[in-house]
Amino acid sequence: MVEEKTSLHSSLKTIEWKNNKLVMIDQTKLPNELVFVEFTDYNQVANAIRNLVVRGAPAIGVSGAFGLALAVLQSKATTQEELIQDLEKAKKILFETRPTAVNLKWGLEKIMKVAKEGNDVIQIKESIIHAAKKMAEDDVQINMAMGKNGSELFNDNDTILTHCNAGALATVAYGTALGVVRATKDSGKNIKVIATETRPVQQGSRLTAFELKHDGIDVSLIPDTAVGYTMAKGLVDKIVVGADRILKTGHVFNKIGTYQVALIAKQHNIPFYVAAPLSTFDMESNPEDVVIEQRNGSEVTGIGDKKTAPDGINVINPAFDMTTPELISGIITEKGVAKPPYEESIKKLFEAN
Ligand code: MRU
C-alpha cells in the first residue's frame, strides 16, 4: 500500500484502476488531507472497506469488484477451477467487511458471474478486469442519469438538506443524492445545500461539506441536532439522501439518523427524496432480514482522537437505520422516479430495465 499526497484542489476521483493497481482516496484523512492510496492485494481492499477508507454503497460495490480484479492478478491458478476457488475465497473476505449496503454483494456477484462464464485462466483474468472497469464507468453514467431525473423535482432557489455523504466520494464520481444536487445546479437553478454533520464519524462535515465546497456549491453545515430547528424555521425546502439498501416495499436503509430526518420532514410537510441506483435495491429481503452493521463504540466515545466520554461506558452504535415508505416522497433512480405505492412503482422500474 503506497500513499501519495496531493493538493486539496485536484479533481476528486474516488476510485481508479491504474496500471493493474487500485487507487482510492483515503476518506479517513479528509478534509485535512487529500491522500490517494494504492492497493495491490485484495486483503488490503477488504481492510480499506472495513475501516471506511472507502465507504458509501456504490463505492464499496465497485471497490469490491476491483478487489476481485486484484485477486485474479494475485492468483497462481493454472485452471479455471483453481481460479474460481481463489476468487471465492477473496469474495468471502471482501463480502464480510460490511453487511448492510447491498451494492457490495451486487458488485462481487457480477464479477463471479464473469469468472464462471469464462473459458480459460488468461481470458477470465482479462474479462474480470474489463468488467470491473466497466462497472466503474457505468457508475458515473448511472449517477448522471439519476441526477437528471432528480433535478426535475427541485426548483430555482430551493434549499436542499442532505444527510451523510451520498456524493462523488460515496461513488466512483458525481454521486447519488449529491449527483441530483449537481444536476439541479447544472440545469441553471440556483440552489443551496444544508449538510448535517452526521455523527459519529462525520461523513457530512468531513466529506459532504468538503466536496460541495470543493465544487463551489453553496453549503451550510449543521449539527445533527439542528435538523428540527432548520425545518421548523422554514429553512429547508426539500431533502435528498442516498441509500445503502432499498427493499421492494420501499423501505430504505441508510446512514443512522436518516429515519429521524424523514420523521421531522413529515411533521413539517417537507418532501423527502431518496436517490439510489437499481444496484442498491434488494428485491428479495424483508425488513427483518437486513443486518444493521454495529460499529465500534470508540466512534461514539470520541471525536477523531479526542475522547468525549468516560472510560468503560456502554455504547450502542448502529451504522444504519430504516426509513419506512410512508415517509418517502419519491425514490430517484437512473430509470426514473418511483412514487408511492412503491411495490408497484419499483416493480415497474425493474421491468423497464
Ligand atoms: O457508513 P457509510 O459512510 O458507508 O454510509 C454511507 C451512507 O449511508 C450513504 O448515505 C449511502 O451509502 C449512499 S451513498 C451514495
Side-chain angles (χ1 to χ4, degrees):
M1 206 160 63
V2 177
E3 287 193 359
E4 177 198 326
K5 291 189 183 179
T6 311
S7 119
L8 287 178
H9 298 289
S10 59
S11 62
L12 295 177
K13 284 181 193 148
T14 306
I15 304 172
E16 239 190 318
W17 184 256
K18 269 190 193 166
N19 307 321
N20 282 346
K21 289 177 190 147
L22 178 60
V23 181
M24 300 198 286
I25 293 177
D26 181 349
Q27 302 194 30
T28 63
K29 303 245 164 78
L30 287 170
N32 299 322
E33 285 179 301
L34 184 60
V35 174
F36 292 86
V37 196
E38 235 175 54
F39 300 89
T40 50
D41 182 330
Y42 72 85
N43 290 292
Q44 296 170 334
V45 178
N47 279 334
I49 297 173
R50 201 176 292 114
N51 299 330
L52 309 183
V53 167
V54 60
R55 33 62 54 198
I60 63 177
V62 174
S63 43
F66 278 127
L68 289 182
L70 291 177
V72 284
L73 291 174
Q74 288 170 257
S75 172
K76 305 259 181 302
T78 53
T79 64
Q80 177 171 10
E81 208 185 4
E82 285 169 4
L83 184 61
I84 297 213
Q85 272 174 16
D86 285 349
L87 283 171
E88 289 289 3
K89 186 178 155 221
K91 180 192 165 192
K92 186 167 182 294
I93 290 171
L94 289 159
F95 177 69
E96 284 172 354
T97 52
R98 298 197 75 192
T100 309
V102 79
N103 304 59
L104 182 55
K105 179 171 181 258
W106 171 89
L108 294 170
E109 283 180 354
K110 261 190 116 159
I111 298 296
M112 290 309 295
K113 187 164 180 282
V114 171
K116 285 175 186 162
E117 282 169 1
N119 302 314
D120 64 80
V121 171
I122 292 174
Q123 180 266 324
I124 294 174
K125 287 190 176 190
E126 281 168 5
S127 315
I128 286 182
I129 294 168
H130 176 79
K133 282 162 82 176
K134 170 96 173 52
M135 199 182 283
E137 283 159 23
D138 287 351
D139 182 77
V140 184
Q141 297 310 315
I142 286 169
N143 289 340
M144 292 181 90
M146 195 187 316
K148 194 164 181 298
N149 292 337
S151 67
E152 284 157 28
L153 300 165
F154 296 87
N155 299 324
D156 198 21
N157 295 321
D158 269 354
T159 297
I160 304 168
L161 183 140
T162 192
H163 184 61
C164 191
N165 173 266
L169 290 163
T171 60
V172 174
Y174 206 68
T176 57
L178 297 189
V180 171
V181 165
R182 289 193 167 89
T184 305
K185 187 161 187 267
D186 289 348
S187 72
K189 291 172 199 159
N190 181 31
I191 45 154
K192 289 185 177 161
V193 175
I194 292 180
T196 59
E197 68 175 335
T198 319
R199 275 283 287 153
V201 291
Q202 288 147 312
Q203 292 94 331
S205 59
R206 291 189 306 104
L207 308 177
T208 295
F210 168 74
E211 79 166 77
L212 292 182
K213 195 163 176 282
H214 180 274
D215 281 10
I217 295 175
D218 185 321
V219 56
S220 302
L221 182 64
I222 58 165
D224 297 322
T225 40
V227 167
Y229 172 92
T230 53
M231 292 199 210
K233 284 277 180 195
L235 301 177
V236 177
D237 296 299
K238 281 161 197 140
I239 293 145
V240 64
V241 298
D244 289 83
R245 192 186 292 229
I246 303 176
L247 306 188
K248 58 179 181 293
T249 44
H251 289 77
V252 168
F253 292 81
N254 192 47
K255 180 51 54 189
I256 193 75
T258 303
Y259 176 46
Q260 290 169 198
V261 174
L263 279 171
I264 301 171
K266 187 77 167 179
Q267 170 74 10
H268 293 283
N269 272 319
I270 298 172
F272 177 94
Y273 295 106
V274 176
L278 294 191
S279 54
T280 299
F281 286 73
D282 169 359
M283 301 296 276
E284 277 149 31
S285 303
N286 294 309
E288 59 279 13
D289 304 329
V290 179
V291 177
I292 300 282
E293 178 182 1
Q294 304 291 323
R295 293 190 62 85
N296 201 301
S298 60
E299 290 179 349
V300 181
T301 56
I303 300 181
D305 294 336
K306 188 158 169 46
K307 205 158 72 70
T308 56
D311 285 336
I313 191 76
N314 190 37
V315 174
I316 301 169
N317 185 20
F320 302 97
D321 60 23
M322 182 182 80
T323 300
T324 45
E326 74 280 2
L327 301 175
I328 302 168
S329 314
I331 303 177
I332 304 160
T333 76
E334 70 273 31
K335 294 289 169 193
V337 180
K339 291 276 177 77
Y342 288 112
E343 292 245 29
E344 265 172 49
S345 57
I346 291 174
K347 199 163 161 237
K348 279 201 187 120
L349 288 179
F350 276 86
E351 281 165 1
N353 192 25

PDB file of all heavy atoms in Angstrom, residues 52 55-58 60 98 101 163-167 170-171 175-177 203 241-244 254-256 275 293 295 319-320, ligand 1:
ATOM      1  N   LEU A  52     -13.407   2.203   6.529  1.00  0.00           N
ATOM      2  CA  LEU A  52     -14.006   3.411   5.934  1.00  0.00           C
ATOM      3  C   LEU A  52     -13.016   4.277   5.154  1.00  0.00           C
ATOM      4  O   LEU A  52     -13.249   5.469   4.965  1.00  0.00           O
ATOM      5  CB  LEU A  52     -14.738   4.273   6.998  1.00  0.00           C
ATOM      6  CG  LEU A  52     -15.754   3.572   7.904  1.00  0.00           C
ATOM      7  CD1 LEU A  52     -16.429   4.596   8.837  1.00  0.00           C
ATOM      8  CD2 LEU A  52     -16.822   2.829   7.138  1.00  0.00           C
ATOM      9  N   ARG A  55     -15.990   4.239   1.425  1.00  0.00           N
ATOM     10  CA  ARG A  55     -17.302   3.970   2.021  1.00  0.00           C
ATOM     11  C   ARG A  55     -18.370   4.553   1.104  1.00  0.00           C
ATOM     12  O   ARG A  55     -18.057   5.206   0.112  1.00  0.00           O
ATOM     13  CB  ARG A  55     -17.408   4.465   3.475  1.00  0.00           C
ATOM     14  CG  ARG A  55     -16.661   5.698   3.871  1.00  0.00           C
ATOM     15  CD  ARG A  55     -17.063   6.944   3.137  1.00  0.00           C
ATOM     16  NE  ARG A  55     -18.495   7.162   3.247  1.00  0.00           N
ATOM     17  CZ  ARG A  55     -19.209   7.945   2.481  1.00  0.00           C
ATOM     18  NH1 ARG A  55     -18.621   8.607   1.480  1.00  0.00           N
ATOM     19  NH2 ARG A  55     -20.493   8.107   2.644  1.00  0.00           N
ATOM     20  N   GLY A  56     -19.642   4.294   1.447  1.00  0.00           N
ATOM     21  CA  GLY A  56     -20.723   4.692   0.555  1.00  0.00           C
ATOM     22  C   GLY A  56     -21.078   3.477  -0.298  1.00  0.00           C
ATOM     23  O   GLY A  56     -20.171   2.813  -0.832  1.00  0.00           O
ATOM     24  N   ALA A  57     -22.374   3.186  -0.410  1.00  0.00           N
ATOM     25  CA  ALA A  57     -22.800   1.915  -1.017  1.00  0.00           C
ATOM     26  C   ALA A  57     -22.234   1.671  -2.429  1.00  0.00           C
ATOM     27  O   ALA A  57     -21.602   0.627  -2.671  1.00  0.00           O
ATOM     28  CB  ALA A  57     -24.329   1.848  -1.010  1.00  0.00           C
ATOM     29  N   PRO A  58     -22.408   2.605  -3.399  1.00  0.00           N
ATOM     30  CA  PRO A  58     -21.877   2.299  -4.735  1.00  0.00           C
ATOM     31  C   PRO A  58     -20.349   2.185  -4.737  1.00  0.00           C
ATOM     32  O   PRO A  58     -19.786   1.336  -5.436  1.00  0.00           O
ATOM     33  CB  PRO A  58     -22.342   3.495  -5.588  1.00  0.00           C
ATOM     34  CG  PRO A  58     -23.525   4.042  -4.844  1.00  0.00           C
ATOM     35  CD  PRO A  58     -23.205   3.838  -3.405  1.00  0.00           C
ATOM     36  N   ILE A  60     -18.390   1.065  -2.362  1.00  0.00           N
ATOM     37  CA  ILE A  60     -17.881  -0.222  -1.860  1.00  0.00           C
ATOM     38  C   ILE A  60     -18.256  -1.360  -2.811  1.00  0.00           C
ATOM     39  O   ILE A  60     -17.534  -2.354  -2.895  1.00  0.00           O
ATOM     40  CB  ILE A  60     -18.237  -0.512  -0.377  1.00  0.00           C
ATOM     41  CG1 ILE A  60     -19.723  -0.632  -0.131  1.00  0.00           C
ATOM     42  CG2 ILE A  60     -17.638   0.509   0.537  1.00  0.00           C
ATOM     43  CD1 ILE A  60     -20.051  -1.001   1.327  1.00  0.00           C
ATOM     44  N   ARG A  98     -18.592  -5.447   5.386  1.00  0.00           N
ATOM     45  CA  ARG A  98     -19.697  -4.586   5.818  1.00  0.00           C
ATOM     46  C   ARG A  98     -21.004  -5.245   5.358  1.00  0.00           C
ATOM     47  O   ARG A  98     -21.159  -5.547   4.173  1.00  0.00           O
ATOM     48  CB  ARG A  98     -19.566  -3.170   5.216  1.00  0.00           C
ATOM     49  CG  ARG A  98     -18.281  -2.459   5.667  1.00  0.00           C
ATOM     50  CD  ARG A  98     -18.360  -0.966   5.422  1.00  0.00           C
ATOM     51  NE  ARG A  98     -19.213  -0.308   6.386  1.00  0.00           N
ATOM     52  CZ  ARG A  98     -19.633   0.951   6.269  1.00  0.00           C
ATOM     53  NH1 ARG A  98     -19.257   1.662   5.217  1.00  0.00           N
ATOM     54  NH2 ARG A  98     -20.427   1.498   7.176  1.00  0.00           N
ATOM     55  N   ALA A 101     -24.910  -2.457   3.128  1.00  0.00           N
ATOM     56  CA  ALA A 101     -25.046  -1.958   1.745  1.00  0.00           C
ATOM     57  C   ALA A 101     -25.071  -3.138   0.775  1.00  0.00           C
ATOM     58  O   ALA A 101     -24.127  -3.926   0.709  1.00  0.00           O
ATOM     59  CB  ALA A 101     -23.911  -1.012   1.398  1.00  0.00           C
ATOM     60  N   HIS A 163     -28.167  14.282   4.291  1.00  0.00           N
ATOM     61  CA  HIS A 163     -27.590  13.635   5.475  1.00  0.00           C
ATOM     62  C   HIS A 163     -26.489  12.678   5.025  1.00  0.00           C
ATOM     63  O   HIS A 163     -26.611  12.067   3.972  1.00  0.00           O
ATOM     64  CB  HIS A 163     -28.706  12.861   6.193  1.00  0.00           C
ATOM     65  CG  HIS A 163     -28.294  12.227   7.488  1.00  0.00           C
ATOM     66  ND1 HIS A 163     -27.840  12.959   8.567  1.00  0.00           N
ATOM     67  CD2 HIS A 163     -28.273  10.933   7.887  1.00  0.00           C
ATOM     68  CE1 HIS A 163     -27.568  12.129   9.565  1.00  0.00           C
ATOM     69  NE2 HIS A 163     -27.815  10.894   9.178  1.00  0.00           N
ATOM     70  N   CYS A 164     -25.449  12.548   5.795  1.00  0.00           N
ATOM     71  CA  CYS A 164     -24.307  11.684   5.475  1.00  0.00           C
ATOM     72  C   CYS A 164     -23.606  12.194   4.213  1.00  0.00           C
ATOM     73  O   CYS A 164     -23.693  13.388   3.884  1.00  0.00           O
ATOM     74  CB  CYS A 164     -24.743  10.235   5.318  1.00  0.00           C
ATOM     75  SG  CYS A 164     -23.374   9.049   5.228  1.00  0.00           S
ATOM     76  N   ASN A 165     -22.936  11.317   3.503  1.00  0.00           N
ATOM     77  CA  ASN A 165     -22.337  11.708   2.214  1.00  0.00           C
ATOM     78  C   ASN A 165     -22.766  10.709   1.161  1.00  0.00           C
ATOM     79  O   ASN A 165     -22.410   9.529   1.219  1.00  0.00           O
ATOM     80  CB  ASN A 165     -20.807  11.746   2.274  1.00  0.00           C
ATOM     81  CG  ASN A 165     -20.227  11.979   0.879  1.00  0.00           C
ATOM     82  OD1 ASN A 165     -19.898  11.035   0.174  1.00  0.00           O
ATOM     83  ND2 ASN A 165     -20.148  13.226   0.460  1.00  0.00           N
ATOM     84  N   ALA A 166     -23.593  11.194   0.240  1.00  0.00           N
ATOM     85  CA  ALA A 166     -24.013  10.378  -0.906  1.00  0.00           C
ATOM     86  C   ALA A 166     -23.553  11.131  -2.147  1.00  0.00           C
ATOM     87  O   ALA A 166     -24.316  11.422  -3.060  1.00  0.00           O
ATOM     88  CB  ALA A 166     -25.517  10.169  -0.885  1.00  0.00           C
ATOM     89  N   GLY A 167     -22.258  11.429  -2.144  1.00  0.00           N
ATOM     90  CA  GLY A 167     -21.700  12.264  -3.207  1.00  0.00           C
ATOM     91  C   GLY A 167     -20.683  11.529  -4.049  1.00  0.00           C
ATOM     92  O   GLY A 167     -20.649  10.295  -4.086  1.00  0.00           O
ATOM     93  N   ALA A 170     -18.869   8.900  -2.308  1.00  0.00           N
ATOM     94  CA  ALA A 170     -19.563   7.648  -1.967  1.00  0.00           C
ATOM     95  C   ALA A 170     -19.768   6.779  -3.201  1.00  0.00           C
ATOM     96  O   ALA A 170     -20.387   5.716  -3.122  1.00  0.00           O
ATOM     97  CB  ALA A 170     -20.908   7.978  -1.336  1.00  0.00           C
ATOM     98  N   THR A 171     -19.269   7.273  -4.337  1.00  0.00           N
ATOM     99  CA  THR A 171     -19.449   6.578  -5.614  1.00  0.00           C
ATOM    100  C   THR A 171     -18.096   6.638  -6.337  1.00  0.00           C
ATOM    101  O   THR A 171     -17.088   7.022  -5.738  1.00  0.00           O
ATOM    102  CB  THR A 171     -20.536   7.287  -6.459  1.00  0.00           C
ATOM    103  OG1 THR A 171     -20.120   8.642  -6.697  1.00  0.00           O
ATOM    104  CG2 THR A 171     -21.891   7.303  -5.752  1.00  0.00           C
ATOM    105  N   GLY A 175     -21.885  11.157  -7.729  1.00  0.00           N
ATOM    106  CA  GLY A 175     -22.735  10.981  -6.563  1.00  0.00           C
ATOM    107  C   GLY A 175     -24.179  10.660  -6.879  1.00  0.00           C
ATOM    108  O   GLY A 175     -24.638  10.826  -8.001  1.00  0.00           O
ATOM    109  N   THR A 176     -24.889  10.188  -5.842  1.00  0.00           N
ATOM    110  CA  THR A 176     -26.317   9.867  -5.990  1.00  0.00           C
ATOM    111  C   THR A 176     -27.127  11.089  -5.532  1.00  0.00           C
ATOM    112  O   THR A 176     -27.544  11.894  -6.360  1.00  0.00           O
ATOM    113  CB  THR A 176     -26.666   8.584  -5.211  1.00  0.00           C
ATOM    114  OG1 THR A 176     -26.298   8.762  -3.840  1.00  0.00           O
ATOM    115  CG2 THR A 176     -25.936   7.385  -5.779  1.00  0.00           C
ATOM    116  N   ALA A 177     -27.301  11.253  -4.215  1.00  0.00           N
ATOM    117  CA  ALA A 177     -28.036  12.439  -3.728  1.00  0.00           C
ATOM    118  C   ALA A 177     -27.319  13.724  -4.165  1.00  0.00           C
ATOM    119  O   ALA A 177     -27.956  14.669  -4.651  1.00  0.00           O
ATOM    120  CB  ALA A 177     -28.159  12.376  -2.210  1.00  0.00           C
ATOM    121  N   GLN A 203     -19.465  11.908   8.242  1.00  0.00           N
ATOM    122  CA  GLN A 203     -19.389  11.914   6.781  1.00  0.00           C
ATOM    123  C   GLN A 203     -19.977  13.201   6.206  1.00  0.00           C
ATOM    124  O   GLN A 203     -19.638  13.595   5.102  1.00  0.00           O
ATOM    125  CB  GLN A 203     -20.139  10.714   6.194  1.00  0.00           C
ATOM    126  CG  GLN A 203     -19.512   9.360   6.474  1.00  0.00           C
ATOM    127  CD  GLN A 203     -20.116   8.725   7.702  1.00  0.00           C
ATOM    128  OE1 GLN A 203     -20.559   9.418   8.608  1.00  0.00           O
ATOM    129  NE2 GLN A 203     -20.133   7.408   7.750  1.00  0.00           N
ATOM    130  N   VAL A 241     -31.450  12.231   0.179  1.00  0.00           N
ATOM    131  CA  VAL A 241     -30.404  11.401   0.790  1.00  0.00           C
ATOM    132  C   VAL A 241     -30.113  10.225  -0.133  1.00  0.00           C
ATOM    133  O   VAL A 241     -30.863   9.967  -1.080  1.00  0.00           O
ATOM    134  CB  VAL A 241     -30.849  10.856   2.186  1.00  0.00           C
ATOM    135  CG1 VAL A 241     -31.099  11.975   3.176  1.00  0.00           C
ATOM    136  CG2 VAL A 241     -32.085   9.958   2.061  1.00  0.00           C
ATOM    137  N   GLY A 242     -29.049   9.490   0.159  1.00  0.00           N
ATOM    138  CA  GLY A 242     -28.741   8.277  -0.587  1.00  0.00           C
ATOM    139  C   GLY A 242     -29.341   7.071   0.116  1.00  0.00           C
ATOM    140  O   GLY A 242     -30.196   7.216   1.004  1.00  0.00           O
ATOM    141  N   ALA A 243     -28.893   5.879  -0.266  1.00  0.00           N
ATOM    142  CA  ALA A 243     -29.382   4.653   0.387  1.00  0.00           C
ATOM    143  C   ALA A 243     -28.326   3.563   0.289  1.00  0.00           C
ATOM    144  O   ALA A 243     -27.531   3.526  -0.646  1.00  0.00           O
ATOM    145  CB  ALA A 243     -30.663   4.172  -0.268  1.00  0.00           C
ATOM    146  N   ASP A 244     -28.341   2.693   1.283  1.00  0.00           N
ATOM    147  CA  ASP A 244     -27.456   1.526   1.281  1.00  0.00           C
ATOM    148  C   ASP A 244     -28.194   0.284   0.818  1.00  0.00           C
ATOM    149  O   ASP A 244     -27.593  -0.664   0.323  1.00  0.00           O
ATOM    150  CB  ASP A 244     -26.887   1.297   2.685  1.00  0.00           C
ATOM    151  CG  ASP A 244     -25.878   2.394   2.982  1.00  0.00           C
ATOM    152  OD1 ASP A 244     -26.306   3.483   3.399  1.00  0.00           O
ATOM    153  OD2 ASP A 244     -24.683   2.168   2.721  1.00  0.00           O
ATOM    154  N   ASN A 254     -30.404   3.491   5.352  1.00  0.00           N
ATOM    155  CA  ASN A 254     -29.367   4.492   5.071  1.00  0.00           C
ATOM    156  C   ASN A 254     -28.698   4.883   6.388  1.00  0.00           C
ATOM    157  O   ASN A 254     -29.079   4.413   7.466  1.00  0.00           O
ATOM    158  CB  ASN A 254     -29.984   5.706   4.358  1.00  0.00           C
ATOM    159  CG  ASN A 254     -28.933   6.626   3.786  1.00  0.00           C
ATOM    160  OD1 ASN A 254     -27.995   6.185   3.126  1.00  0.00           O
ATOM    161  ND2 ASN A 254     -29.042   7.918   4.053  1.00  0.00           N
ATOM    162  N   LYS A 255     -27.711   5.736   6.295  1.00  0.00           N
ATOM    163  CA  LYS A 255     -26.905   6.147   7.451  1.00  0.00           C
ATOM    164  C   LYS A 255     -27.767   6.476   8.665  1.00  0.00           C
ATOM    165  O   LYS A 255     -28.802   7.123   8.536  1.00  0.00           O
ATOM    166  CB  LYS A 255     -26.056   7.356   7.051  1.00  0.00           C
ATOM    167  CG  LYS A 255     -25.152   7.937   8.113  1.00  0.00           C
ATOM    168  CD  LYS A 255     -24.250   6.954   8.818  1.00  0.00           C
ATOM    169  CE  LYS A 255     -23.405   6.115   7.904  1.00  0.00           C
ATOM    170  NZ  LYS A 255     -22.687   5.027   8.617  1.00  0.00           N
ATOM    171  N   ILE A 256     -27.314   6.047   9.807  1.00  0.00           N
ATOM    172  CA  ILE A 256     -28.026   6.289  11.059  1.00  0.00           C
ATOM    173  C   ILE A 256     -28.414   7.777  11.158  1.00  0.00           C
ATOM    174  O   ILE A 256     -27.602   8.658  10.892  1.00  0.00           O
ATOM    175  CB  ILE A 256     -27.171   5.830  12.273  1.00  0.00           C
ATOM    176  CG1 ILE A 256     -28.001   5.764  13.533  1.00  0.00           C
ATOM    177  CG2 ILE A 256     -25.912   6.662  12.463  1.00  0.00           C
ATOM    178  CD1 ILE A 256     -28.915   4.594  13.610  1.00  0.00           C
ATOM    179  N   ALA A 275     -32.209   9.040  -3.372  1.00  0.00           N
ATOM    180  CA  ALA A 275     -31.616   8.824  -4.703  1.00  0.00           C
ATOM    181  C   ALA A 275     -30.682   7.621  -4.633  1.00  0.00           C
ATOM    182  O   ALA A 275     -29.764   7.597  -3.807  1.00  0.00           O
ATOM    183  CB  ALA A 275     -30.834  10.058  -5.150  1.00  0.00           C
ATOM    184  N   GLU A 293     -25.316  -2.986  10.485  1.00  0.00           N
ATOM    185  CA  GLU A 293     -23.936  -3.044  10.986  1.00  0.00           C
ATOM    186  C   GLU A 293     -23.837  -2.319  12.334  1.00  0.00           C
ATOM    187  O   GLU A 293     -24.301  -1.186  12.472  1.00  0.00           O
ATOM    188  CB  GLU A 293     -23.044  -2.362   9.942  1.00  0.00           C
ATOM    189  CG  GLU A 293     -21.590  -2.285  10.321  1.00  0.00           C
ATOM    190  CD  GLU A 293     -20.779  -1.548   9.242  1.00  0.00           C
ATOM    191  OE1 GLU A 293     -21.340  -1.085   8.230  1.00  0.00           O
ATOM    192  OE2 GLU A 293     -19.567  -1.451   9.437  1.00  0.00           O
ATOM    193  N   ARG A 295     -21.104  -0.808  14.818  1.00  0.00           N
ATOM    194  CA  ARG A 295     -19.694  -0.450  14.732  1.00  0.00           C
ATOM    195  C   ARG A 295     -19.085  -0.226  16.127  1.00  0.00           C
ATOM    196  O   ARG A 295     -19.802  -0.146  17.119  1.00  0.00           O
ATOM    197  CB  ARG A 295     -19.516   0.788  13.839  1.00  0.00           C
ATOM    198  CG  ARG A 295     -19.866   0.447  12.386  1.00  0.00           C
ATOM    199  CD  ARG A 295     -19.487   1.547  11.444  1.00  0.00           C
ATOM    200  NE  ARG A 295     -18.073   1.830  11.424  1.00  0.00           N
ATOM    201  CZ  ARG A 295     -17.181   1.174  10.666  1.00  0.00           C
ATOM    202  NH1 ARG A 295     -17.575   0.224   9.859  1.00  0.00           N
ATOM    203  NH2 ARG A 295     -15.906   1.507  10.718  1.00  0.00           N
ATOM    204  N   ALA A 319     -24.845   1.558  12.540  1.00  0.00           N
ATOM    205  CA  ALA A 319     -24.391   2.440  11.454  1.00  0.00           C
ATOM    206  C   ALA A 319     -25.540   2.879  10.541  1.00  0.00           C
ATOM    207  O   ALA A 319     -25.385   3.848   9.791  1.00  0.00           O
ATOM    208  CB  ALA A 319     -23.322   1.730  10.631  1.00  0.00           C
ATOM    209  N   PHE A 320     -26.656   2.169  10.572  1.00  0.00           N
ATOM    210  CA  PHE A 320     -27.753   2.464   9.640  1.00  0.00           C
ATOM    211  C   PHE A 320     -29.094   2.367  10.349  1.00  0.00           C
ATOM    212  O   PHE A 320     -29.207   1.728  11.393  1.00  0.00           O
ATOM    213  CB  PHE A 320     -27.716   1.466   8.463  1.00  0.00           C
ATOM    214  CG  PHE A 320     -26.386   1.502   7.728  1.00  0.00           C
ATOM    215  CD1 PHE A 320     -25.390   0.578   8.013  1.00  0.00           C
ATOM    216  CD2 PHE A 320     -26.115   2.488   6.795  1.00  0.00           C
ATOM    217  CE1 PHE A 320     -24.154   0.644   7.388  1.00  0.00           C
ATOM    218  CE2 PHE A 320     -24.880   2.562   6.159  1.00  0.00           C
ATOM    219  CZ  PHE A 320     -23.901   1.633   6.453  1.00  0.00           C
TER     220      PHE A 320
HETATM  221  O1  MRU B   1     -21.068   4.176   6.584  1.00  0.00           O
HETATM  222  P1  MRU B   1     -21.039   4.777   5.208  1.00  0.00           P
HETATM  223  O2  MRU B   1     -20.282   6.050   5.130  1.00  0.00           O
HETATM  224  O3  MRU B   1     -20.612   3.772   4.156  1.00  0.00           O
HETATM  225  O4  MRU B   1     -22.559   5.107   4.919  1.00  0.00           O
HETATM  226  C1  MRU B   1     -22.892   5.722   3.715  1.00  0.00           C
HETATM  227  C2  MRU B   1     -24.315   6.046   3.582  1.00  0.00           C
HETATM  228  O5  MRU B   1     -25.136   5.723   4.406  1.00  0.00           O
HETATM  229  C3  MRU B   1     -24.707   6.716   2.298  1.00  0.00           C
HETATM  230  O6  MRU B   1     -25.743   7.610   2.520  1.00  0.00           O
HETATM  231  C4  MRU B   1     -25.171   5.636   1.328  1.00  0.00           C
HETATM  232  O7  MRU B   1     -24.197   4.636   1.212  1.00  0.00           O
HETATM  233  C5  MRU B   1     -25.476   6.187  -0.004  1.00  0.00           C
HETATM  234  S1  MRU B   1     -24.010   6.593  -0.859  1.00  0.00           S
HETATM  235  C6  MRU B   1     -24.324   7.070  -2.422  1.00  0.00           C
END
